[in-house]
Amino acid sequence: MKTKVGIIGGGPSGLMLSQLLDLKGIDNVVLEKHTRDYVLGRIRAGVLEHGFAELMREAQCGERMDAEGEIHEGFYIAENNEKKRVDLAGHTGGNSVVVYGQTELTRDLYDARAAMNGKVIHEALDVKPHDINTKNPYLTYRQGDETFRIDCDFIIGADGFHGVSRKSIPKDVLKEYEKVYPFGWLGVLSRTKPVSPELIYAKSDRGFALCSLRSQVLSRYYIQVPLTDSTDDWSDEAFWDELKARLPDDVAANLETGPSIEKSIAPLRSFVAEPMRYGNMFLAGDAAHIVPPTGARGLNSAASDIYYLYHGLVDHYLKGDDTGLDSYSDRALARVWKAQRFSWWMTTLLHSFPDAIPYDRKLQQTDLEYLFSSEAAMTSLAENYVGLPF
Ligand code: FAS
Ligand code: PHB
């Protein structure tokens, strides 16, 4: 098979790029190792920046998001039995975020790909990029006992943190930066009414907690847990009791509990791989960078990668201009590192660190007090949370 752009990974990054390119008549193929249902079974992000929402609309996939997603113009930070509101719109000239689950937006992208007869190949095993530092790169993959080859102009590694693309860049070229946090997030999805109309990020001596939602009948909650914990250590009752213990009394009193329909623990790490281009292979999304989800930057960092790649590829094929592709890595990394900083800052501000010394805890306290006493500090938080410009 021959195509223009071979995309490894059928998550939001790969599907979004595939859809945008197809709409411009740029032929592409997506190779996804799992089934569609497996990909849709993963519960991940919940908050979309303005830029991501705009890309969904440009990809002609924004209809259900606009109908079912919720516009949020603020959120709360809770501590010491009270909560204070972060006014996103008031500090960003009216900007906001859309609360709409990654599962649903990935479903919308899959449906749009199917409607356009997009080439998304599932259960593509042992995908390997070849000759990536030449003008004729190609992909191979296996289905059953048969091996297939796809010749392309460019390869996009949108295969997530554990994918094959980043590992295909020579070790003497690739530079990796990583910070692992000494705790994880235990997440629960429940068919219950959300405890708050806007998200609540809670800092407590017992650990961090987050009250989020997917709709008015589907709630998403998280608590910080030690890395040694497993979901077997947490019954639903134990989870609800601990969540309540970390929330202000008036919030805890209104918490509607119910059976968990999903329960998982995600480790927290900050990670960046440089460069995000090697030869004619480009990395995008989690294949190149990971953030702790405290700042809701994970999926949203993928959005700007896709935006830059999309415009670079369109300029290459429709105008013969390679400026966008040649500047991709530097341009994408400049925004990625700002999301890294913000996610590290939010995580450091709100979590209980097991090895923290009293001085660290005083700094956390001071940072929070400064945040709520300074327009400049609040504006900085707000402009990062709604998403810095692409
Ligand atoms: P993805 O990992 O989503 O997709 C990569 C795809 O490539 C997958 O479908 C995978 O099956 C496929 N693949 C991998 N290797 C392959 C191979 N060799 N061949 C073919 N296909 C291959 N972000 C937030 O903003 N908020 C959150 O709350 C949040 N929670 C998260 C919880 C967890 C457990 C994880 C892992 C991530 C979370 N994230 C969150 C970040 C997440 O939303 C990512 O940013 C987002 O999935 C990035 O999308 P992709 O870059 O498409 O990568
Ligand atoms: C979520 O709803 O899953 C969510 C929201 C905001 C975050 C992290 C996760 O910062």
Side-chain angles (χ1 to χ4, degrees), residues 44-47 185 199 201 210 212 214 220 222 293-296 385:
R44 289 186 171 172
V47 172
W185 278 18
L199 275 62
Y201 291 80
L210 172 60
S212 184
R214 293 292 178 270
R220 179 70 168 165
Y222 298 93
T294 325
Y385 195 89

Side-chain angles (χ1 to χ4, degrees), residues 270-281:
S270 298
F271 174 85
V272 179
E274 295 185 356
M276 288 175 60
R277 174 183 189 175
Y278 178 69
N280 282 315
M281 185 175 76

Side-chain angles (χ1 to χ4, degrees), residues 41-53:
R42 296 184 298 221
I43 306 297
R44 289 186 171 172
V47 172
L48 306 182
E49 289 177 0
H50 173 75
F52 197 107

Side-chain angles (χ1 to χ4, degrees), residues 322-374:
D322 280 351
T323 314
L325 291 180
D326 293 343
S327 62
Y328 168 71
S329 184
D330 289 344
R331 196 175 175 209
L333 284 166
R335 191 174 187 273
V336 160
W337 275 108
K338 293 184 180 74
Q340 292 281 326
R341 182 210 67 82
F342 177 66
S343 303
W344 160 81
W345 175 75
M346 281 279 276
T347 303
T348 306
L349 177 71
L350 298 171
H351 287 75
S352 298
F353 285 71
D355 60 350
I357 57 176
Y359 183 84
D360 297 333
R361 285 192 284 275
K362 287 298 283 183
L363 276 188
Q364 275 185 322
Q365 199 56 48
T366 305
D367 217 348
L368 264 178
E369 284 163 14
Y370 174 57
L371 177 64
F372 284 103
S373 65
S374 159

Side-chain angles (χ1 to χ4, degrees), residues 6 10 27 39 42 87 98 102 110 122 148 161 179 182 216 250 271 275 280 320 322 353-354 370 374:
D27 190 62
V39 175
R42 296 184 298 221
D87 179 3
V98 180
Q102 176 172 327
Y110 265 126
H122 283 280
F148 300 88
F161 184 68
K179 180 182 186 62
Q216 285 310 307
D250 63 324
F271 174 85
N280 282 315
D322 280 351
F353 285 71
Y370 174 57
S374 159

Side-chain angles (χ1 to χ4, degrees), residues 8-14 31-34 38-39 42-47 102 124 127 158-164 185 214 222 266 284-287 293 296-300 302:
I8 311 174
S13 297
L31 295 179
E32 165 56 49
K33 74 176 178 184
H34 288 302
Y38 182 93
V39 175
R42 296 184 298 221
I43 306 297
R44 289 186 171 172
V47 172
Q102 176 172 327
V127 174
D159 46 349
F161 184 68
H162 301 289
V164 64
W185 278 18
R214 293 292 178 270
Y222 298 93
D286 276 21
R297 293 307 85 204
L299 181 56
N300 293 304

Side-chain angles (χ1 to χ4, degrees), residues 293-315:
T294 325
R297 293 307 85 204
L299 181 56
N300 293 304
S301 301
S304 44
D305 294 349
I306 296 309
Y307 176 85
Y308 300 142
L309 269 179
Y310 162 53
H311 286 282
L313 288 164
V314 166
D315 289 351

